[in-house]
């Protein structure tokens, strides 16, 4: 796996190590962290609690609030992967799952990876019970005391989360349902 870190120029940088930023207050995230460290690795994975002092010291340019909302993986040369791409690059680093990572890196596989990320986000949202330790937020709906207010959460790419029925997709500019989607 390589990443273009030159802003569109042709240089490519090899990935020799990855840091996975995970939410230490999330039982699913810590379960996945524990599973990852037990796997044979082709590329070393280092686990760091998202939003921690260590994460802020090592990656001062990151939006650390966002790393608590969405899985973020940082490569040793500064590459940043989020969401589905972060899951794919993490699987790519594992000996027994590199083939799966290559399949997920295709356009149809990327949709599957995105679906897995959304399912994990829905599960995380339903298990927090409205309060997240440490005053963190989820979906940007922060209230006093660090609790999630249970309101709907919308993203600019058309995905939104409503606590009573989960994630839905409504393409930007297609709110009335009059245009077709390619999903």
């Amino acid at each position: 796996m390589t990443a273009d870190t030159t802003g569109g120029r042709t240089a490519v940088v090899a990935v020799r190590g990855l840091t996975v930023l995970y939410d230490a207050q999330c039982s699913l995230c810590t379960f996945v962290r524990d599973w990852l460290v037990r796997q044979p690795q082709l590329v070393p994975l280092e686990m760091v609690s998202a939003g921690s002092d260590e994460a802020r010291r090592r990656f001062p340019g990151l939006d650390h609030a966002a790393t608590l909302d969405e899985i973020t993986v940082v490569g040793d040369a500064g590459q940043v992967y989020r969401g589905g791409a972060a899951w794919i690059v993490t699987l790519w680093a594992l000996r027994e799952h590199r083939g799966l990572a290559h399949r997920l890196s295709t356009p149809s596989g990327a949709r599957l990876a995105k679906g897995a990320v959304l399912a994990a986000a829905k599960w995380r949202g339903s298990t927090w019970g409205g309060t997240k330790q440490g005053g963190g937020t989820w979906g940007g709906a922060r209230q006093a005391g660090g609790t999630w207010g249970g309101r709907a959460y919308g993203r600019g790419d058309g995905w939104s989360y409503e606590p009573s029925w989960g994630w839905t997709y409504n393409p930007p500019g297609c709110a009335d349902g009059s245009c077709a989607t390619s999903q």
Side-chain angles (χ1 to χ4, degrees), residues 70-152:
E70 182 173 46
I71 181 174
T72 304
V73 176
V74 181
D76 58 338
Q79 310 93 325
V80 176
Y81 306 90
R82 296 183 193 281
W87 285 109
I88 292 169
V89 75
T90 301
L91 289 172
W92 173 85
L94 303 176
R95 184 180 72 212
E96 295 174 12
H97 300 284
R98 185 165 276 189
L100 175 60
H102 285 291
R103 289 189 296 279
L104 290 174
S105 68
T106 66
S108 60
R111 284 192 297 273
L112 179 63
K114 183 173 185 174
V117 169
L118 292 173
K122 182 177 180 181
W123 185 88
R124 287 180 71 202
S126 69
T127 60
W128 281 353
T131 304
K132 184 168 185 306
Q133 294 178 359
T137 64
W138 185 70
R142 185 176 186 181
Q143 291 184 332
T147 61
W148 180 59
R151 296 177 293 214

Side-chain angles (χ1 to χ4, degrees), residues 25-42:
Q25 301 299 319
C26 165
S27 61
L28 174 63
C29 303
T30 57
F31 175 84
V32 171
R33 176 208 58 203
D34 294 345
W35 178 81
L36 287 170
V37 298
R38 291 190 311 267
Q39 301 304 303
Q41 300 172 4
L42 295 171

